[in-house]
Amino acid sequence: MQKKSLLALLLALMMVLSGCALVSVDTEKDNARTIVDVNGETVNKQTIYAAVQNQLQMNQYYNQLYASMGVTGSYPTDEATVTSQVIESYVNQLVSTQKAKALGLYEMTEEEKTEIETNGQENYNSFLDSVASTYMPGSTLEGDELRAAAAKYAEENKIATADNRSTLDDFIASATDAKAIEKLQAYLVKDVAVSAEEVQADFDAKVESAKADYETNPDSYGYSRMNGSPVYYAPAGYRMVKHILVPIAQEDSTAISNAQTALNDAQAALTNAAEDADKDALQAAVDAAQAAYDEAHNAGFANAKAKADEIYALATAEGADFDALIAEHSTDSMPDEGYAIREGFAYFVEPFVTGAMALQNVGDVSEPVESTYGYHIIKYVSDVEEGPVDIETVRASIESSLLTTKQNEATTAAMEQFVSEATVKTYADRMN
């Protein structure tokens, strides 16, 4: 994952602060103390504190979300770290808006003004909806009337967002800043470009990396093709195949599943039987359940085989359109290009791989091949030529990746320079 530019992070911060976190505006002197001062433009303690608490809650939520998926989250939850990050973000934000003003980027076109007003109104409406749901849950009002009541409640009770916005003008001003920063980012990268030589060098490096990877894990090429990931080099031994999957019918599958459950229960009863239990009767129950399972299994596969034989006849008829038959009959979500496989390919069931690799010539179609999924009618589509892919097939993705990296580096360098040139004062100690 590529590192975000500072300006991109600023835009993300502004989105966070435009959210639904609500705070009561405290007018005490302590909350009015300056924490960030950039060229005389300041941010007070109340604003920083609210932003920190909002960010802490978000970080805790993200960490919990990752934990629910069995992954350890990496979002900081100690207040000192988050405070430092928020202060730095506000420094960068002020530096950016001041630079945008100096460059005349706050001069907006009519289209930009419309976009700003739309975004500001939408964010203001979200704020009012949050006020209504948080402080007026029992209200019988709806729509514009509810929002009007929420606006009045927010004004009377001094309710605001984490960065102290509570009126439509506040939200439009914030949307204006966001648009100006967006324009600043575009200004900073307007001359950034990627040369053909850079694309070629990156392609060559990716080819060598792929070759090294495939020497130890040749299956990763087929896996990448299957998942639509970019590939830069093809190892030897691959071919492209397509198939029509004819699964076991749902009713047959249900019958097999029920029979399997009954068999499992009978086997468990025998295994867990007491010493004085009638083992012969329990074994007889297992035998009967096994016979019932075999009957359901064989019937289900026989029905699927009959359908597969019909489709196979169509697939091998003169002038057959295999792709059309796939669209009509197959239940597999196969990529349009088919699958890249090799001898012993580990990502597919063995019968499918063996059946596909047994085909002798491009264009050959296999008789129905049985697997746990049902029956596969496989067509040998083409051979995959060993060696680097045509650079033109990946040029656009390489250019885009390189351009993003160079743009991020350019904006980061520019922001670092802007900050170094500004008069910046921060007072983190006042947060205690």
Side-chain angles (χ1 to χ4, degrees):
M1 181 181 296
Q2 293 182 330
K3 183 179 179 181
K4 291 183 179 179
S5 70
L6 287 174
L7 283 173
L9 289 174
L10 280 176
L11 291 173
L13 169 69
M14 295 180 75
M15 291 180 66
V16 167
L17 295 177
S18 68
C20 301
L22 306 176
V23 296
S24 295
V25 179
D26 191 339
T27 57
E28 292 182 3
K29 184 176 181 180
D30 181 60
N31 279 346
R33 299 175 75 191
T34 294
I35 303 299
V36 174
D37 183 327
V38 177
N39 296 324
E41 189 174 358
T42 63
V43 181
N44 65 23
K45 179 177 180 177
Q46 176 189 329
T47 300
I48 297 295
Y49 178 80
V52 168
Q53 297 308 309
N54 190 44
Q55 191 63 57
L56 282 170
Q57 291 178 5
M58 291 185 63
N59 290 356
Q60 290 168 356
Y61 168 76
Y62 287 134
N63 286 338
Q64 292 171 356
L65 183 63
Y66 277 108
S68 70
M69 297 183 290
V71 180
T72 301
S74 59
Y75 293 90
T77 55
D78 62 289
E79 192 161 336
T81 297
V82 174
T83 298
S84 177
Q85 292 175 343
V86 169
I87 289 175
E88 181 180 4
S89 295
Y90 268 102
V91 168
N92 289 327
Q93 181 180 338
L94 291 179
V95 168
S96 297
T97 54
Q98 290 173 9
K99 191 65 177 180
K101 288 174 184 176
L103 292 170
L105 300 181
Y106 273 82
E107 295 296 324
M108 303 292 176
T109 65
E110 290 303 315
E111 182 178 353
E112 290 169 340
K113 291 177 182 178
T114 299
E115 178 186 346
I116 288 168
E117 291 176 1
T118 299
N119 291 339
Q121 184 68 62
E122 289 178 352
N123 290 335
Y124 180 54
N125 288 344
S126 295
F127 164 72
L128 295 180
D129 291 342
S130 296
V131 172
S133 63
T134 303
Y135 298 100
M136 307 166 61
S139 176
T140 58
L141 299 176
E142 296 180 351
D144 291 340
E145 289 185 349
L146 179 58
R147 283 178 176 162
K152 182 179 180 181
Y153 184 94
E155 180 181 4
E156 292 175 347
N157 293 276
K158 298 182 179 180
I159 305 300
T161 61
D163 59 342
N164 203 30
R165 283 174 295 145
S166 61
T167 68
L168 178 58
D169 286 346
D170 292 338
F171 284 91
I172 289 179
S174 178
T176 302
D177 287 341
K179 188 63 181 179
I181 290 177
E182 179 185 318
K183 292 169 67 175
L184 176 62
Q185 184 168 27
Y187 171 83
L188 295 176
V189 302
K190 62 184 175 62
D191 296 325
V192 177
V194 176
S195 68
E197 292 75 15
E198 289 172 319
V199 172
Q200 184 67 55
D202 190 70
F203 173 74
D204 292 341
K206 284 180 166 57
V207 167
E208 291 305 312
S209 177
K211 287 174 65 176
D213 176 32
Y214 300 152
E215 286 178 3
T216 57
N217 185 19
D219 280 358
S220 62
Y221 171 80
Y223 183 77
S224 294
R225 290 286 293 264
M226 179 173 59
N227 288 281
S229 301
V231 293
Y232 306 96
Y233 180 85
Y238 269 92
R239 63 175 56 175
M240 298 301 298
V241 300
K242 295 183 178 182
H243 79 137
I244 300 168
L245 174 61
V246 182
I248 308 303
Q250 183 59 52
E251 59 182 23
D252 289 332
S253 179
T254 300
I256 293 171
S257 178
N258 290 339
Q260 181 68 67
T261 299
L263 176 58
N264 292 343
D265 290 343
Q267 289 173 332
L270 177 60
T271 300
N272 300 322
E275 288 296 328
D276 59 348
D278 188 345
K279 301 292 182 66
D280 291 339
L282 292 173
Q283 183 60 58
V286 170
D287 294 341
Q290 181 67 61
Y293 171 78
D294 291 342
E295 181 179 357
H297 179 276
N298 293 339
F301 274 80
N303 291 336
K305 178 64 161 56
K307 182 178 180 180
D309 286 340
E310 293 176 2
I311 298 173
Y312 172 71
L314 296 173
T316 54
E318 184 176 353
D321 186 337
F322 199 80
D323 286 338
L325 292 173
I326 290 173
E328 182 178 357
H329 298 288
S330 185
T331 61
D332 181 40
S333 55
M334 178 177 60
D336 291 341
E337 66 173 359
Y339 293 123
I341 67 168
R342 58 183 287 276
E343 197 73 47
F345 189 60
Y347 288 101
F348 293 140
V349 291
E350 185 275 332
F352 175 82
V353 175
T354 299
M357 297 306 296
L359 296 170
Q360 297 297 308
N361 303 299
V362 172
D364 286 352
V365 176
S366 73
E367 293 187 8
V369 174
E370 181 181 333
S371 80
T372 54
Y373 293 99
Y375 287 90
H376 310 265
I377 302 162
I378 309 167
K379 183 174 182 178
Y380 184 177
V381 176
S382 63
D383 290 310
V384 177
E385 183 179 355
E386 180 184 6
V389 303
D390 181 355
I391 190 173
E392 296 306 319
T393 65
V394 292
R395 181 180 296 278
S397 65
I398 291 177
E399 286 181 341
S400 176
S401 177
L402 290 177
L403 182 61
T404 298
T405 298
K406 293 183 72 172
Q407 287 176 336
N408 287 344
E409 291 172 348
T411 54
T412 297
M415 283 300 302
E416 290 174 350
Q417 179 180 345
F418 296 159
V419 171
S420 70
E421 294 171 347
T423 301
V424 177
K425 301 175 184 177
T426 60
Y427 306 94
D429 58 302
R430 295 178 180 177
M431 295 300 298
N432 300 323

